[in-house]
Amino acid sequence: MKFGILTSTITEDSHLPNILELESIMSKRGHNVCLLKNGEFNLEISSKGSELFYNGKHFDIRDYDMVFNRFSVRDKSNADYYIMEEFIFAGVDFFNKPEGIVKARNKLLTLQILGNMGIDITKSYVIRRFEDLKIVKERYRFPMIVKNIFGSLGSSTLLVYDYKQLKSIFDYLWNVNRNDVLLIQEFITSDDNTISDYRVFVAGDKVLSSMKRTNETDDFRSNFKRGAGVKYCELNDYETKMCIEIASKFDLDIAGIDFMRTERGPVVLEVNSNPGMEGIRTASLNAGFDILEKLADYFEERFKNKEVL
């Protein structure tokens, strides 16, 4: 098959090592693989329709059977999704699609969806005004988390220890952009009293791998990019079913589900539409298998099923 990998890698940078390795794995299996940088596309729109160009040359989108979307959208708007839409309009098997990305990108919307599913989540309170802080003080205990609803990789996430600190942080953030929506969240601890959580990598209706991330530095976040150690872990039946159902509810073909094991059971923290592969591949390789090979299996199975249909 003609297989594309769409990324947000800028022109002057090389593709990430795991993207290059996935290209190599798919190529060795006999597939025609192209790495595509979102920023190198141009789109012309007229009454006759639209036409894509890649580095100034006509790009025939219908040549592709499948495109794996690794496009990280940092902006709050979805204005940069137009290239994705062109693949979808052309009937190319494309994932993840913008609808799922939008849901997962917004942490507040994520919590609303999970809460309506009956999934246990971190209790959260939306604040927009100084007056809201008094209610927070009455309903939440310190320490607590302050989070911007569009943060990623642990960014825009702060741990607050007392009311004075909460007021000063809110004052700063409010003056930077008083239209920002901030979340106050309860600070929960893992059942083994470590700074840790679990990342589950879902593709379709299967869990390809899962890992425990533990941070033994002085950071309260357990992101791999922030120094957390990773180790492959097994999920129980409930955790497996929960993660697959969440990915389906968010309309994500591929998803990273983060949760904590606590004394009250699994508490879901986040849903990721573009889960990083470096940490979970490290954990998988240490456990004796390569998640990228499993991902390639998923692509091939999906392609075969589509051919049958």
Side-chain angles (χ1 to χ4, degrees), residues 3 5 15 17-29 31-35 292:
F3 184 79
I5 305 176
H15 288 284
N18 283 309
I19 294 296
L20 296 174
E21 186 61 28
L22 180 59
E23 176 194 29
S24 175
I25 289 171
M26 294 293 289
S27 296
K28 288 177 182 177
R29 294 186 179 202
H31 305 293
N32 183 0
V33 185
C34 293
L35 301 184
L292 294 185

Side-chain angles (χ1 to χ4, degrees), residues 27-179:
S27 296
K28 288 177 182 177
R29 294 186 179 202
H31 305 293
N32 183 0
V33 185
C34 293
L35 301 184
L36 306 169
K37 295 183 178 182
N38 184 74
E40 296 181 8
F41 278 101
N42 297 104
L43 176 65
E44 183 176 72
I45 311 168
S46 70
S47 58
K48 297 179 181 179
S50 57
E51 183 177 3
L52 269 181
F53 296 85
Y54 194 71
N55 287 323
K57 297 180 180 179
H58 172 74
F59 182 86
D60 195 342
I61 205 166
R62 289 179 174 81
D63 279 350
Y64 287 80
D65 298 299
M66 182 180 294
V67 172
F68 177 32
N69 180 23
R70 293 291 293 177
F71 182 38
S72 297
V73 180
R74 301 298 182 192
D75 189 56
K76 296 177 184 179
S77 75
N78 59 357
D80 210 12
Y81 292 3
Y82 61 94
I83 299 302
M84 302 183 201
E85 298 289 3
E86 288 299 312
F87 281 101
I88 296 167
F89 291 154
V92 176
D93 192 11
F94 183 92
F95 47 93
N96 287 315
K97 296 182 177 64
E99 311 90 80
I101 297 173
V102 168
K103 291 177 185 178
R105 181 82 178 91
N106 184 324
K107 296 183 186 301
L108 178 53
L109 179 57
T110 293
L111 291 171
Q112 289 176 294
I113 294 171
L114 293 173
N116 285 324
M117 289 178 67
I119 300 292
D120 196 359
I121 56 176
T122 47
K123 186 173 69 171
S124 306
Y125 197 85
V126 179
I127 57 174
R128 305 296 297 267
R129 309 166 301 163
F130 272 106
E131 294 89 333
D132 298 333
L133 299 182
K134 294 180 180 179
I135 303 174
V136 168
K137 186 179 179 182
E138 295 172 358
R139 297 180 62 88
Y140 290 77
R141 293 181 179 180
F142 291 98
M144 61 183 67
I145 300 292
V146 178
K147 182 182 292 184
N148 185 295
I149 67 170
F150 288 103
S152 62
L153 298 175
S155 64
S156 304
T157 301
L158 304 169
L159 184 61
V160 178
Y161 291 94
D162 56 42
Y163 191 58
K164 286 184 178 179
Q165 189 181 19
L166 176 62
K167 287 198 297 183
S168 63
I169 287 174
F170 184 80
D171 182 55
Y172 171 76
L173 295 174
W174 192 81
N175 280 288
V176 170
N177 183 0
R178 65 179 296 168
N179 293 314

Side-chain angles (χ1 to χ4, degrees), residues 233-245:
C233 70
E234 295 285 350
L235 303 179
N236 60 41
D237 291 343
Y238 174 78
E239 291 165 345
T240 299
K241 181 181 178 182
M242 175 186 74
C243 291
I244 293 171
E245 287 181 350

Side-chain angles (χ1 to χ4, degrees), residues 18 209-212 224 228-233 276-292:
N18 283 309
S209 188
S210 52
M211 66 177 174
K212 182 179 182 180
F224 179 72
V230 296
K231 184 179 181 180
Y232 174 76
C233 70
M277 292 191 289
E278 184 179 357
I280 202 160
R281 189 179 186 217
T282 299
S284 303
L285 289 171
N286 289 338
F289 68 95
D290 190 344
I291 189 176
L292 294 185

